[in-house]
Amino acid sequence: APLKDAKAMCTVGAVYLTSPAQTSGLRSGDSVVAFGTCQFADFKSVTESIVPIVKASVGKPIDVVAVRISDGGEVQQISLTLTPQKWSGAGLLGCILK
């Protein structure tokens, strides 16, 4: 079920090829409205709120809900599973959250 009154905590910038973020289906331009247990009401910053969840969840799937505007301009809410892990690039996700 879609999250009601979901507010974006952060936006996805670059998503690197072959990264965990790309594998999960996350795309540049997506707005993240839920990241694991964290939603807008609890969100302080990417550093304070998201990074600790990522570090605590290496190799474990995190449920992420993102809002994406389709090419036709429709707003879609997308649920995906992101598993932080070491990969060939930087970080554990392989995307920029801002």
Side-chain angles (χ1 to χ4, degrees):
L3 290 170
K4 290 205 169 101
D5 304 323
K7 291 190 174 81
M9 300 184 287
C10 55
T11 305
V12 180
V15 176
Y16 300 109
L17 289 174
T18 73
S19 69
Q22 191 197 31
T23 308
S24 77
L26 211 53
R27 289 189 203 161
S28 181
D30 287 353
S31 297
V32 177
V33 296
F35 195 93
T37 54
C38 184
Q39 292 185 29
F40 186 80
D42 324 303
F43 181 74
K44 295 187 177 75
S45 66
V46 170
T47 311
E48 283 182 78
S49 303
I50 301 220
V51 171
I53 297 174
V54 171
K55 287 187 172 163
S57 307
V58 177
K60 298 179 197 143
I62 299 170
D63 292 321
V64 178
V65 180
V67 171
R68 178 177 299 163
I69 297 169
S70 70
D71 298 334
E74 288 175 52
V75 177
Q76 307 165 295
Q77 206 174 87
I78 294 153
S79 297
L80 42 89
T81 306
L82 179 53
T83 305
Q85 56 204 352
K86 295 267 185 234
W87 64 292
S88 56
L92 293 166
L93 300 180
C95 66
I96 307 287
L97 297 174
K98 49 193 186 188

